[in-house]
Amino acid sequence: MSHEAAAEGTPGIASYIDHTLLKPEASEAEILKVCAEAAEYHFKSVCVNPVWVKTVKTALKGSGVLTCSVVGFPLGATPSDVKAFEARGAVLDGAEEVDMVINIAAARANDKGSLVDDIAAVAEAVHEGGAILKVIIETAMLSDEQKVLACEAAVAAGADFVKTSTGFNGGGATAADVALMRRTVGPDLGVKASGGVRSLADAQAMIAAGATRIGASSGIAIVTGEQGSSAY
């Protein structure tokens, strides 16, 4: 089956996918390969660590694929002003989307005020540059009540999306978590499912639960109806 036929066989699914390579050891050649794949399959974005943003932005020029980067990744245990500085730099380098990790300890302590402050600092930096902000709440480390709290904080802080997971700290996305997040944020915010989404069936389940974006390194497997193996 050709790549074009594969994409046509799953109408629209590619437009949900942030084609992701966040391994710290990723080489420039691997990053460029992901960019070429994203352009070929018409994925929504390529998501990489901040050091690769300029490379990705250049490689994707004219493709229609967005450049996405991460902030405070993967632990979220960085001061808010440092996250904001990192986000501003990523946007200046060309990132059109930024995925930040919350202060997970604050969520587990039910400290909504700290969460709002943390997210708002990054949201301001991202929005100043005309980019959008996705907020990773790391569902595997939170109770349902804490997931709701974190999502409410993201809404209050002006985020554009909430996102399930980094893919680096335990479990990934579940349909139940996506549905809970969607109920919490309402119809207007994006919900991104990431971590362990490896097949078309996985992606379809997340979309049915309310996801509007899929973060995956198995994007090609998803659009071709095969099975990926990556944890992200």
PDB file of all heavy atoms in Angstrom, residues 33-51:
ATOM      1  N   LYS A  33      14.458  12.803   9.802  1.00  0.00           N
ATOM      2  CA  LYS A  33      13.620  11.705   9.298  1.00  0.00           C
ATOM      3  C   LYS A  33      12.178  11.893   9.761  1.00  0.00           C
ATOM      4  O   LYS A  33      11.222  11.720   8.993  1.00  0.00           O
ATOM      5  CB  LYS A  33      14.171  10.367   9.779  1.00  0.00           C
ATOM      6  CG  LYS A  33      13.383   9.141   9.324  1.00  0.00           C
ATOM      7  CD  LYS A  33      14.119   7.862   9.715  1.00  0.00           C
ATOM      8  CE  LYS A  33      13.375   6.621   9.230  1.00  0.00           C
ATOM      9  NZ  LYS A  33      12.194   6.330  10.054  1.00  0.00           N
ATOM     10  N   VAL A  34      12.008  12.260  11.031  1.00  0.00           N
ATOM     11  CA  VAL A  34      10.668  12.503  11.567  1.00  0.00           C
ATOM     12  C   VAL A  34      10.001  13.665  10.834  1.00  0.00           C
ATOM     13  O   VAL A  34       8.804  13.622  10.525  1.00  0.00           O
ATOM     14  CB  VAL A  34      10.752  12.761  13.087  1.00  0.00           C
ATOM     15  CG1 VAL A  34       9.486  13.384  13.624  1.00  0.00           C
ATOM     16  CG2 VAL A  34      11.051  11.453  13.822  1.00  0.00           C
ATOM     17  N   CYS A  35      10.772  14.695  10.539  1.00  0.00           N
ATOM     18  CA  CYS A  35      10.218  15.837   9.797  1.00  0.00           C
ATOM     19  C   CYS A  35       9.759  15.414   8.407  1.00  0.00           C
ATOM     20  O   CYS A  35       8.679  15.818   7.945  1.00  0.00           O
ATOM     21  CB  CYS A  35      11.256  16.951   9.683  1.00  0.00           C
ATOM     22  SG  CYS A  35      11.635  17.760  11.248  1.00  0.00           S
ATOM     23  N   ALA A  36      10.564  14.613   7.728  1.00  0.00           N
ATOM     24  CA  ALA A  36      10.205  14.147   6.391  1.00  0.00           C
ATOM     25  C   ALA A  36       8.945  13.287   6.441  1.00  0.00           C
ATOM     26  O   ALA A  36       8.062  13.400   5.574  1.00  0.00           O
ATOM     27  CB  ALA A  36      11.368  13.362   5.788  1.00  0.00           C
ATOM     28  N   GLU A  37       8.844  12.441   7.453  1.00  0.00           N
ATOM     29  CA  GLU A  37       7.650  11.604   7.620  1.00  0.00           C
ATOM     30  C   GLU A  37       6.412  12.463   7.858  1.00  0.00           C
ATOM     31  O   GLU A  37       5.345  12.218   7.288  1.00  0.00           O
ATOM     32  CB  GLU A  37       7.853  10.639   8.793  1.00  0.00           C
ATOM     33  CG  GLU A  37       8.884   9.561   8.534  1.00  0.00           C
ATOM     34  CD  GLU A  37       9.296   8.822   9.786  1.00  0.00           C
ATOM     35  OE1 GLU A  37       8.927   9.248  10.917  1.00  0.00           O
ATOM     36  OE2 GLU A  37      10.006   7.810   9.661  1.00  0.00           O
ATOM     37  N   ALA A  38       6.569  13.471   8.701  1.00  0.00           N
ATOM     38  CA  ALA A  38       5.429  14.342   9.014  1.00  0.00           C
ATOM     39  C   ALA A  38       4.943  15.079   7.783  1.00  0.00           C
ATOM     40  O   ALA A  38       3.734  15.220   7.563  1.00  0.00           O
ATOM     41  CB  ALA A  38       5.814  15.332  10.108  1.00  0.00           C
ATOM     42  N   ALA A  39       5.876  15.547   6.964  1.00  0.00           N
ATOM     43  CA  ALA A  39       5.506  16.238   5.734  1.00  0.00           C
ATOM     44  C   ALA A  39       4.814  15.279   4.770  1.00  0.00           C
ATOM     45  O   ALA A  39       3.825  15.632   4.112  1.00  0.00           O
ATOM     46  CB  ALA A  39       6.742  16.845   5.085  1.00  0.00           C
ATOM     47  N   GLU A  40       5.310  14.057   4.702  1.00  0.00           N
ATOM     48  CA  GLU A  40       4.752  13.072   3.771  1.00  0.00           C
ATOM     49  C   GLU A  40       3.331  12.647   4.153  1.00  0.00           C
ATOM     50  O   GLU A  40       2.455  12.499   3.300  1.00  0.00           O
ATOM     51  CB  GLU A  40       5.670  11.847   3.728  1.00  0.00           C
ATOM     52  CG  GLU A  40       5.204  10.773   2.775  1.00  0.00           C
ATOM     53  CD  GLU A  40       6.202   9.636   2.656  1.00  0.00           C
ATOM     54  OE1 GLU A  40       7.293   9.712   3.272  1.00  0.00           O
ATOM     55  OE2 GLU A  40       5.893   8.667   1.945  1.00  0.00           O
ATOM     56  N   TYR A  41       3.123  12.445   5.446  1.00  0.00           N
ATOM     57  CA  TYR A  41       1.821  11.951   5.918  1.00  0.00           C
ATOM     58  C   TYR A  41       0.870  13.071   6.332  1.00  0.00           C
ATOM     59  O   TYR A  41      -0.260  12.809   6.722  1.00  0.00           O
ATOM     60  CB  TYR A  41       2.028  10.973   7.081  1.00  0.00           C
ATOM     61  CG  TYR A  41       2.580   9.635   6.651  1.00  0.00           C
ATOM     62  CD1 TYR A  41       3.946   9.409   6.642  1.00  0.00           C
ATOM     63  CD2 TYR A  41       1.739   8.609   6.243  1.00  0.00           C
ATOM     64  CE1 TYR A  41       4.466   8.181   6.251  1.00  0.00           C
ATOM     65  CE2 TYR A  41       2.241   7.378   5.849  1.00  0.00           C
ATOM     66  CZ  TYR A  41       3.608   7.171   5.855  1.00  0.00           C
ATOM     67  OH  TYR A  41       4.113   5.958   5.458  1.00  0.00           O
ATOM     68  N   HIS A  42       1.339  14.302   6.285  1.00  0.00           N
ATOM     69  CA  HIS A  42       0.518  15.462   6.642  1.00  0.00           C
ATOM     70  C   HIS A  42       0.050  15.413   8.101  1.00  0.00           C
ATOM     71  O   HIS A  42      -1.112  15.651   8.405  1.00  0.00           O
ATOM     72  CB  HIS A  42      -0.689  15.588   5.695  1.00  0.00           C
ATOM     73  CG  HIS A  42      -0.302  15.627   4.256  1.00  0.00           C
ATOM     74  ND1 HIS A  42       0.386  16.681   3.696  1.00  0.00           N
ATOM     75  CD2 HIS A  42      -0.493  14.729   3.258  1.00  0.00           C
ATOM     76  CE1 HIS A  42       0.605  16.431   2.407  1.00  0.00           C
ATOM     77  NE2 HIS A  42       0.099  15.264   2.122  1.00  0.00           N
ATOM     78  N   PHE A  43       1.014  15.105   8.997  1.00  0.00           N
ATOM     79  CA  PHE A  43       0.706  15.166  10.416  1.00  0.00           C
ATOM     80  C   PHE A  43       0.510  16.623  10.843  1.00  0.00           C
ATOM     81  O   PHE A  43       0.910  17.548  10.132  1.00  0.00           O
ATOM     82  CB  PHE A  43       1.823  14.523  11.240  1.00  0.00           C
ATOM     83  CG  PHE A  43       1.941  13.034  11.051  1.00  0.00           C
ATOM     84  CD1 PHE A  43       3.171  12.438  10.835  1.00  0.00           C
ATOM     85  CD2 PHE A  43       0.820  12.212  11.082  1.00  0.00           C
ATOM     86  CE1 PHE A  43       3.293  11.065  10.657  1.00  0.00           C
ATOM     87  CE2 PHE A  43       0.922  10.840  10.909  1.00  0.00           C
ATOM     88  CZ  PHE A  43       2.163  10.265  10.691  1.00  0.00           C
ATOM     89  N   LYS A  44      -0.103  16.812  12.012  1.00  0.00           N
ATOM     90  CA  LYS A  44      -0.371  18.173  12.487  1.00  0.00           C
ATOM     91  C   LYS A  44       0.913  18.900  12.852  1.00  0.00           C
ATOM     92  O   LYS A  44       1.095  20.073  12.526  1.00  0.00           O
ATOM     93  CB  LYS A  44      -1.307  18.121  13.702  1.00  0.00           C
ATOM     94  CG  LYS A  44      -1.707  19.486  14.238  1.00  0.00           C
ATOM     95  CD  LYS A  44      -2.618  20.217  13.273  1.00  0.00           C
ATOM     96  CE  LYS A  44      -3.137  21.516  13.872  1.00  0.00           C
ATOM     97  NZ  LYS A  44      -4.040  22.215  12.935  1.00  0.00           N
ATOM     98  N   SER A  45       1.792  18.212  13.595  1.00  0.00           N
ATOM     99  CA  SER A  45       3.031  18.859  14.032  1.00  0.00           C
ATOM    100  C   SER A  45       4.126  17.831  14.211  1.00  0.00           C
ATOM    101  O   SER A  45       3.883  16.619  14.206  1.00  0.00           O
ATOM    102  CB  SER A  45       2.819  19.613  15.351  1.00  0.00           C
ATOM    103  OG  SER A  45       2.914  18.730  16.458  1.00  0.00           O
ATOM    104  N   VAL A  46       5.344  18.347  14.388  1.00  0.00           N
ATOM    105  CA  VAL A  46       6.474  17.555  14.870  1.00  0.00           C
ATOM    106  C   VAL A  46       6.837  18.107  16.235  1.00  0.00           C
ATOM    107  O   VAL A  46       7.066  19.310  16.389  1.00  0.00           O
ATOM    108  CB  VAL A  46       7.681  17.640  13.912  1.00  0.00           C
ATOM    109  CG1 VAL A  46       8.933  17.051  14.563  1.00  0.00           C
ATOM    110  CG2 VAL A  46       7.369  16.926  12.608  1.00  0.00           C
ATOM    111  N   CYS A  47       6.889  17.217  17.235  1.00  0.00           N
ATOM    112  CA  CYS A  47       7.159  17.634  18.616  1.00  0.00           C
ATOM    113  C   CYS A  47       8.528  17.129  19.046  1.00  0.00           C
ATOM    114  O   CYS A  47       8.780  15.912  19.038  1.00  0.00           O
ATOM    115  CB  CYS A  47       6.069  17.089  19.540  1.00  0.00           C
ATOM    116  SG  CYS A  47       6.186  17.715  21.227  1.00  0.00           S
ATOM    117  N   VAL A  48       9.396  18.076  19.432  1.00  0.00           N
ATOM    118  CA  VAL A  48      10.787  17.759  19.766  1.00  0.00           C
ATOM    119  C   VAL A  48      11.235  18.554  20.991  1.00  0.00           C
ATOM    120  O   VAL A  48      10.569  19.504  21.409  1.00  0.00           O
ATOM    121  CB  VAL A  48      11.724  18.100  18.579  1.00  0.00           C
ATOM    122  CG1 VAL A  48      11.444  17.203  17.386  1.00  0.00           C
ATOM    123  CG2 VAL A  48      11.620  19.574  18.191  1.00  0.00           C
ATOM    124  N   ASN A  49      12.396  18.174  21.509  1.00  0.00           N
ATOM    125  CA  ASN A  49      13.004  18.950  22.591  1.00  0.00           C
ATOM    126  C   ASN A  49      13.495  20.299  22.056  1.00  0.00           C
ATOM    127  O   ASN A  49      13.739  20.462  20.850  1.00  0.00           O
ATOM    128  CB  ASN A  49      14.163  18.158  23.199  1.00  0.00           C
ATOM    129  CG  ASN A  49      13.681  17.062  24.132  1.00  0.00           C
ATOM    130  OD1 ASN A  49      12.983  17.336  25.110  1.00  0.00           O
ATOM    131  ND2 ASN A  49      14.030  15.819  23.822  1.00  0.00           N
ATOM    132  N   PRO A  50      13.633  21.294  22.948  1.00  0.00           N
ATOM    133  CA  PRO A  50      13.929  22.665  22.502  1.00  0.00           C
ATOM    134  C   PRO A  50      15.186  22.828  21.647  1.00  0.00           C
ATOM    135  O   PRO A  50      15.224  23.707  20.777  1.00  0.00           O
ATOM    136  CB  PRO A  50      14.058  23.439  23.821  1.00  0.00           C
ATOM    137  CG  PRO A  50      13.200  22.691  24.778  1.00  0.00           C
ATOM    138  CD  PRO A  50      13.342  21.242  24.398  1.00  0.00           C
ATOM    139  N   VAL A  51      16.195  21.999  21.862  1.00  0.00           N
ATOM    140  CA  VAL A  51      17.439  22.152  21.084  1.00  0.00           C
ATOM    141  C   VAL A  51      17.230  21.890  19.592  1.00  0.00           C
ATOM    142  O   VAL A  51      18.056  22.311  18.772  1.00  0.00           O
ATOM    143  CB  VAL A  51      18.560  21.224  21.604  1.00  0.00           C
ATOM    144  CG1 VAL A  51      19.020  21.667  22.974  1.00  0.00           C
ATOM    145  CG2 VAL A  51      18.142  19.770  21.590  1.00  0.00           C
TER     146      VAL A  51
END
